Amino acid sequence: MTATQDMNKLRNIGICAHIDAGKTTTTERILFYTGKTYKIGEVHEGTAVMDWMVQEQERGITITSAATKCHWLDCDINIIDTPGHVDFTAEVERSLRVLDGAVVVFCAVAGVQPQSETVWRQANKYKVPRIAFVNKMDRIGANFEKVCIQVKEKLNANPLPLVLPIGSEDSFVGHIDLLTMKAHIWDEQSVKSHGAEFKKVDIPSEYLEKAKKARESLIDNISAFDDEILELALEEKEVPLELLRKAIRKATIENKIVPMLCGSAFKNKGVQDLLDSVAYYLPSPLDIPPAIGYKKGTHEEVDIVSDADAPFSALVFKIATDPHVGKLCYMRIYAGNIESGKVVYNVTREGRKERIGRLLQMYANQRQDIPRASAGDIVAVVGLKQVATGDTLALAPDQPTLEKITFPDTVISVAIEPKTQGDLSHLTEVLEALMNEDPTFKAKIDADTGETLISGMGELHLEVIVDRILREFNVKATVGKPQVAYKEGIKDKGKGECVYERQIGGKNQFATVNVEVEPLERGKGFAFENALSKEVLKDLPNIFVSSIEKGCQDAMNDGILCGFPVVDVKVRLVNAVQREGESNEVAFKIAAYEATKNALRNAKAVLLEPFMKVSIETPEQYMGDIIGNMNSRRGKVINMEMRDDIRVIDCHAPLSDMFGYSTQLRSLSQGRATFTMELLHYDEAPKSVIERILGVNTYDQQTAFAASENI
C-alpha cells in the first residue's frame, strides 16, 4: 500500500464538548469496540483509560488531552480526548490546531451549553470539519430534535440528522439510519455484549412515516450541495447510498453541514454508528487544505502539502512530563517522514539541532515504540531538549515555520513559598517543567515582594497545578490565597519627552525621544506608529527606530499606578534626535522607555480588572437568591432563558468578586445549580477597588482618585 493510500485511510479527530456531556465515556466505548481495551473503563469509578492522571480520577473530569490510536472500517483513527472545563480550554485549542476533524458531543437534555459554544468557536477558527453526537438519550428530558434546533440557532451551523431516535429516556432502544432506512436496535442480547452486538431490522411500522419524511428532509438538505442528487430528487428517483455518503462527506469537509447522530455512550448504544461516520465523513490529511508555513526572513506564506515524500515538517503541539521516559513532545507531522535517531532542526528557535531519541505511538499514558512516522501521523518524541509548544521541527534550518498556536492570558495568580532552601531549587525546576507543559500556566518572581507567583486560567486550573506540585513532584510548599491579574490602561492622550545624556565608561551617550500616547479599544493590545518627518528619517538609522519601539514596549511591562502591565495603548514616535558618535541603540531604548513613561503619566492612568462571562444553570426556585447574590458580587445579569425546567442565567462579573463562588452557589441551590466562567474582557475598576489595590499609605491618594475619575 502506498503512502497516499495510507493517508486516505487516516483520521485525526478530537472528541470535544461541554463538561459532563460524556466525551471520555464515548471515547472509552470507542476503545472497547475497536479492540484497544478488553474492559470498559468508567469515569465515575476512576477507571477510564483516557483519564489516567490521579487528579482526573479523583475529580471525575478530563484535565489534560489524552491521545490514542485505534482501527475501524479499514481506517486508522488517532483520537484526542479533550477537557470540557473552561479552565483547560488551551488543551482544546492546541488539539484542534493539529486535528483534521472533530466529534462534538452534546448532552441530549442540556443541549448546547456555554463550553459547547466555546469549543465550536475554536473549531470555526481552525475550520475543522465536525460531526455531532447527541449523547445521554436515555436521560429524562432527552430531546434529539431540540438539540438539532439549538445547533442551528445558537451555533449558526447547518445540522443534518442522519438518524431518527427510536424511543427516548427509559424507552430509548436505538435509532433509524436514514441513509440505509434500517433500524439499529440494542436489546437484552446487546446488554450482555456491552453493546458490541446490535440488530439491524426493518423500521417499526409506527416510525415508518416519520422516517420517510426525515429522509426526504435529509435529501432536500444535501441536494443543495450536489447537483446529481438534486436531479434524482426532482425526478423522484432513488438516490444511491454511495452517492449520498459521498455528498455528505464533501459537504462536511467543506464545513457546509454537520451530520447529527444520537445514542447513549454510558448504556453502550449508538457508538458504532458514530465510528462509521468518522470513517465515512470526516477528512483524511489529504482532504483538508495544506498547512500554512512562513518563509524564514521574508515571512512569505507557503503551502505545506501533506506528502510523505516532501521535506519533513512537524508542529510540536503539546509537552508532557512522563515519570518513566521524561519529557514527551507530541507532534503532528504535516509533511515528509522521520525515523528515530535522526537529527532535526527547531526552525522556530534559530535552527537549533535536536535528535529524535525515540518515536512513540501513545495510547493514553501507555506507549509503544515505532521505527518511523510520516505525514498525517500524530506521535510523541523522546529526546528533544529545548522545544516548546508551537515550535516547528524540520530537516533543514531554513525551512518554513508553521503557524504558532495562540493562547489566552492568565487571569488569576497565587503566591507559592517553598518550606526549605532545598525545596526552592526543586520548585524552580518543577515550575519550569509545568510551564513547558502548559502554555496558560505562568510563574514569576514578584520584583517588589520577592514572592514566587504562579498564574493560571481559573481556580480549578491553579488547584490542579498546586496539587501536582505538592503530590506528583513532592515539593514541600505553602500556597497563598488567589490574586487577580490586574492591568493598567489610559483614558486620555499624553505627551512625553526624554533627553538622555550620560557618560558611561568615559564615553558620552546621547539620545532624545518625543512620543505621544493614546488609548486603544479594549483588547487591542499595543500599537507603535513611526510618525517621524522625512528629514529626521533620512538621517536616523532604522536600527535606532527599532530600539525606540523596543523601549516603548518595555515601558508597557510595568505600569505607573502600581506596576501592572499597561495594555490597549498606541505610542506615536514624533521626534528623535541623535549626535554623531554619541548615540547608540541602548541610549535610544532608554530614552524611549522614559519618554513613554512620562507620556503615560500625563494620560490619566486607570486600573483595569478582568470581567468574566458567567453562565449559571439552576432550577427556577433558586433563581431569586442566585441573582441577588450575583448583584452583591458586582455582577450584571445580561440574559435569562428557560430550558425545560432549568433557568440559564448569563451574567458579567468581576473576577475579584467571584472567588469561592462554586461553594456559595452549591449552598444557595442545595447543590443543584452549576456554573461556568470564562474571561470576557478587561474594564476599568471602580473607585473602591482602586483604593484597596493602591492603598493610601503607599500611593498618593489623589492619584488613586484621579485614576478612577468618571468611572
Side-chain angles (χ1 to χ4, degrees), residues 296 312-317 319 327 329 331 338 342-356 383-402 404 436:
K296 210 167 182 184
F312 171 74
S313 182
L315 182 79
V316 175
F317 68 94
I319 309 283
K327 188 175 177 180
C329 302
M331 68 178 182
I338 195 71
K342 272 203 170 181
V343 170
V344 294
Y345 292 87
N346 186 340
V347 292
T348 311
R349 295 174 182 260
E350 305 301 321
R352 179 188 162 82
K353 265 188 182 181
E354 296 278 2
R355 183 178 292 278
I356 304 283
L384 304 181
K385 298 285 187 280
Q386 289 188 17
V387 174
T389 299
D391 284 1
T392 301
L393 301 179
L395 277 186
D398 57 352
Q399 276 181 237
T401 306
L402 288 156
K404 292 201 79 167
N436 255 335

Side-chain angles (χ1 to χ4, degrees), residues 225-253:
F225 312 108
D226 191 285
D227 292 340
E228 199 176 341
I229 291 177
L230 180 61
E231 280 179 35
L232 289 169
L234 290 172
E235 292 169 10
E236 296 186 358
K237 290 181 180 176
E238 186 60 34
V239 182
L241 176 63
E242 284 309 310
L243 181 60
L244 263 178
R245 282 183 177 154
K246 186 181 171 186
I248 293 170
R249 176 180 176 79
K250 185 173 182 290
T252 303
I253 290 169

Side-chain angles (χ1 to χ4, degrees), residues 619-632:
E620 192 165 9
Q621 63 262 42
Y622 309 114
M623 200 172 68
D625 290 343
I626 288 170
I627 290 173
N629 179 259
M630 184 54 68
N631 290 336
S632 72

Side-chain angles (χ1 to χ4, degrees), residues 358-373:
R358 290 164 64 193
L359 280 173
L360 303 173
Q361 184 64 65
M362 297 303 294
Y363 299 103
N365 65 331
Q366 303 299 313
R367 66 203 78 77
Q368 178 187 331
D369 279 271
I370 52 174
R372 69 195 300 274

Side-chain angles (χ1 to χ4, degrees), residues 386-506:
Q386 289 188 17
V387 174
T389 299
D391 284 1
T392 301
L393 301 179
L395 277 186
D398 57 352
Q399 276 181 237
T401 306
L402 288 156
E403 190 177 354
K404 292 201 79 167
I405 311 169
T406 54
F407 297 102
D409 289 340
T410 56
V411 293
I412 183 172
S413 59
V414 297
I416 185 164
E417 195 67 41
K419 287 189 175 176
T420 66
Q421 195 62 35
D423 285 317
L424 179 61
S425 58
H426 189 194
L427 178 65
T428 308
E429 289 171 21
V430 168
L431 293 178
E432 191 71 38
L434 288 171
M435 278 194 285
N436 255 335
E437 274 189 37
D438 185 352
T440 58
F441 170 69
K442 299 279 184 284
K444 67 171 186 178
I445 294 172
D446 188 289
D448 297 327
T449 63
E451 287 181 313
T452 301
L453 296 176
I454 58 174
S455 310
M457 299 304 296
E459 284 184 277
L460 180 62
H461 186 202
L462 283 184
E463 183 191 314
V464 169
I465 291 278
V466 167
D467 192 41
R468 289 188 66 194
I469 290 170
L470 301 179
R471 288 166 65 188
E472 188 180 321
F473 295 100
N474 202 25
V475 177
K476 292 177 177 62
T478 53
V479 181
K481 288 182 178 177
Q483 302 292 319
V484 176
Y486 291 99
K487 291 186 180 179
E488 293 179 26
I490 55 173
K491 291 181 74 174
D492 286 346
K493 293 182 178 181
K495 293 181 180 180
E497 180 187 23
C498 174
V499 180
Y500 179 77
E501 198 167 8
R502 191 164 294 179
Q503 195 175 67
I504 298 174

Side-chain angles (χ1 to χ4, degrees), residues 16-23 26 104-113 116 132-151 154 163-170 172 174-175 260-267 269 617 643-646:
C16 341
H18 184 91
I19 192 166
D20 277 343
K23 297 174 305 300
T26 304
V104 183
V105 182
F106 297 100
C107 172
V109 182
V112 176
Q113 295 168 281
S116 314
F133 181 63
V134 180
N135 191 26
K136 303 191 179 183
M137 284 297 296
D138 58 312
R139 291 266 303 273
I140 294 171
N143 190 325
F144 179 64
E145 287 176 19
K146 181 194 77 175
V147 180
C148 291
I149 292 166
Q150 287 185 359
V151 167
K154 291 193 169 188
V163 297
L164 190 67
I166 300 175
S168 66
E169 302 179 354
D170 288 345
F172 176 71
H175 60 252
M260 303 286 295
L261 299 127
C262 71
S264 168
F266 184 57
K267 294 290 176 66
K269 295 172 184 176
E617 294 185 7
R643 284 188 202 157
D644 299 327
D645 58 338
I646 295 289

Side-chain angles (χ1 to χ4, degrees), residues 24 28 31 37 39 41 47-52 66 363-365:
T24 304
E28 292 298 318
L31 295 181
T37 56
K39 181 174 179 262
T47 57
V49 173
M50 301 301 268
D51 284 352
W52 55 270
Y363 299 103
N365 65 331

Side-chain angles (χ1 to χ4, degrees), residues 10-16 26-27 30 34 50 65-70 72 75-82 95-96 98-105 128-131 274-285 317 332 376 378:
L10 187 60
R11 304 285 181 271
N12 292 317
I13 66 160
I15 312 272
C16 341
T26 304
T27 312
I30 288 173
T34 56
M50 301 301 268
S65 53
T68 193
K69 189 171 188 173
C70 59
W72 187 263
C75 286
D76 285 320
I77 305 173
N78 284 313
I79 300 174
I80 295 184
D81 176 32
T82 64
S95 299
L96 287 172
V98 298
L99 292 169
D100 304 327
V103 174
V104 183
V105 182
V128 177
R130 64 217 87 146
I131 57 180
L274 173 63
L275 274 166
D276 288 349
S277 295
V278 167
Y280 288 142
Y281 310 124
L282 286 182
S284 74
F317 68 94
R332 161 71 192 264
I378 292 176

